[in-house]
Amino acid sequence: FPDAIKPEASEAGDVLDDLRASDESLDWFFISPAGGFGSFAPGEETGTYRVGGEILLVDDEGTSFISGADFGRAVADEITTPRHRRARFTVAY
């Protein structure tokens, strides 16, 4: 795990722990993007993405990527059509 992002990842893990410990009345979801997601790799919008569980999604070559636009689409889709109440899930191509 790259040292440069450990503090941010650790903080996100703490947030997820807090959400999981919250009262059942709190409705939340937590999306973990693909490994190749970020401002360093904006990518092109495809309009599609895959949804996984707790494990990082990779393709047949072991690549894990999603564009900012498609990650945003995944967030908007979950808000408009909830499928992961009180759960973490992953998205990638």
Side-chain angles (χ1 to χ4, degrees):
F1 204 88
D3 287 336
I5 60 172
K6 272 186 185 176
E8 182 179 352
S10 178
E11 185 67 30
D14 291 344
V15 168
L16 181 57
D17 289 342
D18 289 345
L19 288 170
R20 287 178 169 157
S22 68
D23 183 271
E24 285 290 320
S25 65
L26 180 65
D27 192 9
W28 59 268
F29 64 89
F30 190 104
I31 301 180
S32 292
F37 171 76
S39 60
F40 60 89
E44 297 292 325
E45 181 176 5
T46 68
T48 63
Y49 56 88
R50 295 181 298 142
V51 176
E54 293 275 334
I55 306 299
L56 178 71
L57 287 173
V58 297
D59 62 18
D60 291 340
E61 289 79 42
T63 302
S64 178
F65 183 76
I66 192 164
S67 71
D70 290 323
F71 183 76
R73 178 183 302 274
V75 172
D77 287 349
E78 185 62 27
I79 291 168
T80 58
T81 309
R83 293 190 174 106
H84 301 91
R85 184 175 188 281
R86 295 184 57 84
R88 172 187 176 210
F89 62 100
T90 58
V91 292
Y93 294 134

